[in-house]
Amino acid sequence: MAVAFLLYVIAEIAAIWAVGSAVGVLGTLGLLLAGAFLGSWLARREGGKAMRAFTSAARSGRPAEKELTDGMLVGLGGVLILVPGFVSDVLGLLLILPPSRAVARRLWLKRMEKRAVRFANRRRGPVMVVDSEVVSSEEPRRREQPTVIEGRVVEN
């Protein structure tokens, strides 16, 4: 993780240096500010759309994982745009724009499904599902006596 962060910082510095060499210091600052303003406006617009889609899905009673993931990706894109730098702006725009966000959403949901299955299998061991029912590999244990809970009934 530290290596990835270091590579990101080096990429940001290189991008700012390259743009600064091409357009000058004031041009670079202007581009960074314009990117932040444009990106924040776009993030607000797309975030509103994602929120309306989530509300619509929730009211209709259908699963809203697509809408919820879209909202999360738009929020992450907005944060990346507000971080100064050209690399983070490009990554943020990719997460905010709907076509590239759809690709990121599919990758994210696929990754989360794999992690959920791996976590469930680690916790309870591998299971087999047949016709929506979990089939145990072990024979069910039969008890000789049913469980008895002692107590008394109190009537009011």
Side-chain angles (χ1 to χ4, degrees), residues 49-68:
K49 284 183 183 179
M51 183 62 188
R52 285 188 294 277
F54 174 74
T55 305
S56 168
R59 283 189 180 145
S60 67
R62 59 186 166 87
E65 71 267 359
K66 174 185 175 270
E67 292 82 4
L68 193 63

Side-chain angles (χ1 to χ4, degrees), residues 15-29:
I16 291 173
W17 190 299
V19 171
S21 297
V23 298
V25 174
L26 290 178
T28 303
L29 291 175

Side-chain angles (χ1 to χ4, degrees), residues 43-124:
R44 184 174 179 182
R45 190 185 84 178
E46 291 297 320
K49 284 183 183 179
M51 183 62 188
R52 285 188 294 277
F54 174 74
T55 305
S56 168
R59 283 189 180 145
S60 67
R62 59 186 166 87
E65 71 267 359
K66 174 185 175 270
E67 292 82 4
L68 193 63
T69 307
D70 274 352
M72 178 201 64
L73 290 173
V74 167
L76 179 60
V79 168
L80 284 173
I81 284 178
L82 292 178
V83 171
F86 293 112
V87 175
S88 63
D89 285 353
V90 169
L91 291 174
L93 282 175
L94 287 175
L95 291 178
I96 289 176
L97 296 174
S100 54
R101 186 174 66 228
V103 173
R105 180 182 58 241
R106 279 193 298 270
L107 292 173
W108 179 261
L109 290 176
K110 190 181 296 185
R111 180 174 185 251
M112 288 299 107
E113 285 174 8
K114 286 181 182 177
R115 289 188 74 191
V117 168
R118 188 175 16 181
F119 176 76
N121 286 341
R122 184 175 356 133
R123 180 137 180 158
R124 68 174 177 233

Side-chain angles (χ1 to χ4, degrees), residues 151-155:
R152 63 180 191 186
V153 176
V154 179
E155 294 182 17

Side-chain angles (χ1 to χ4, degrees), residues 29-49:
L29 291 175
L31 284 173
L32 287 172
L33 286 174
F37 282 121
L38 176 68
S40 62
W41 171 79
L42 190 59
R44 184 174 179 182
R45 190 185 84 178
E46 291 297 320
K49 284 183 183 179

